[in-house]
Amino acid sequence: MGKEFDELRACIYHTEDDLRRFRQLVVNTVMATDIVDKELQALRKARWETAFADTPIHDARFTSDDRKATIVIEHLIQASDVAHTMQHWHVYRAWNQKFFMECYAAYRSGRADSDPSKNWYQGEIGFFDFYVIPLAKKLASCGVFGVSSDEYLSYAQSNRDEWVREGQSMVKDYLARYEGMNSEQ
């Protein structure tokens, strides 16, 4: 660790225990973006339940506030990763299309095994039902966004409903746009 960061490190930690705690927080935060790994999801769920249990669970390594802060930070990172799903419909739609185009281009170029257009519609519904909306509810329950939590949850729910109504035709439109963009090259 270079000397040029001494002042920054002094702001972040003072002891080796503080350094280990900070390092673990950074690792957990980065790992929180892996939403595919079922084992990591189970660990996060258990940490959330421990942190927000009605009866505090005592662990000499952490205070209840430390545990809550850590798990809330992990969930904030997850929310930032999928923030488009909790914003206005036009924001969600634009980012959804960009991600679809990226995945479809990977498929067409041989970098992905499966055609995302086959499951994109149904996959988005599952993503809202089993990830986005529960995440928005957790963030609302811990109060991290204050009154804005209700807005994020409301957007997630209305985007899901709009996707159910419009998603199939949107996937067809995505495919047509992809073909149109690539036929010009």
Side-chain angles (χ1 to χ4, degrees):
M1 292 195 260
K3 297 286 283 172
E4 66 269 22
F5 298 107
D6 283 350
E7 289 180 33
L8 175 62
R9 283 193 298 277
C11 292
I12 297 172
Y13 64 88
H14 299 284
T15 67
E16 287 299 314
D17 282 343
D18 291 344
L19 171 60
R20 277 192 292 282
R21 176 86 177 104
F22 177 71
R23 183 187 181 286
Q24 189 61 53
L25 178 62
V26 171
V27 168
N28 287 353
T29 302
V30 170
M31 295 303 290
T33 62
D34 183 348
I35 63 173
V36 176
D37 188 309
K38 300 294 183 204
E39 186 177 332
L40 286 175
Q41 283 182 355
L43 290 171
R44 273 191 297 279
K45 182 177 180 182
R47 283 196 302 274
W48 180 275
E49 290 169 0
T50 300
F52 290 95
D54 291 333
T55 306
I57 298 171
H58 298 286
D59 182 335
R61 297 174 299 162
F62 306 111
T63 68
S64 177
D65 287 343
D66 286 343
R67 184 179 288 116
K68 283 182 180 178
T70 299
I71 196 66
V72 166
I73 288 170
E74 289 178 26
H75 282 71
L76 284 172
I77 292 296
Q78 290 176 343
S80 68
D81 214 22
V82 297
H84 67 286
T85 63
M86 297 181 222
Q87 295 179 39
H88 193 276
W89 172 248
H90 74 273
V91 174
Y92 165 72
R93 191 178 58 215
W95 284 101
N96 184 270
Q97 179 179 327
K98 289 176 190 301
F99 187 46
F100 176 87
M101 295 297 195
E102 180 182 324
C103 293
Y104 195 70
Y107 166 69
R108 291 293 297 265
S109 69
R111 293 180 289 119
D113 294 331
S114 60
D115 179 350
S117 69
K118 301 294 183 210
N119 297 311
W120 199 265
Y121 171 75
Q122 203 59 46
E124 284 296 292
I125 294 170
F127 188 55
F128 275 109
D129 289 348
F130 299 109
Y131 187 75
V132 174
I133 292 171
L135 176 61
K137 287 178 178 178
K138 282 182 178 180
L139 293 172
S141 76
C142 73
V144 71
F145 288 124
V147 295
S148 295
S149 295
D150 293 336
E151 182 179 1
Y152 301 141
L153 177 57
S154 177
Y155 274 132
Q157 291 168 328
S158 77
N159 286 343
R160 186 230 185 255
D161 293 344
E162 190 72 25
W163 179 259
V164 167
R165 285 189 297 277
E166 303 293 330
Q168 288 177 320
S169 65
M170 289 172 58
V171 172
K172 289 178 185 172
D173 182 56
Y174 295 168
L175 287 168
R177 286 177 190 235
Y178 181 89
E179 295 305 331
M181 289 181 340
N182 289 290
S183 67
E184 296 169 5
Q185 293 178 355

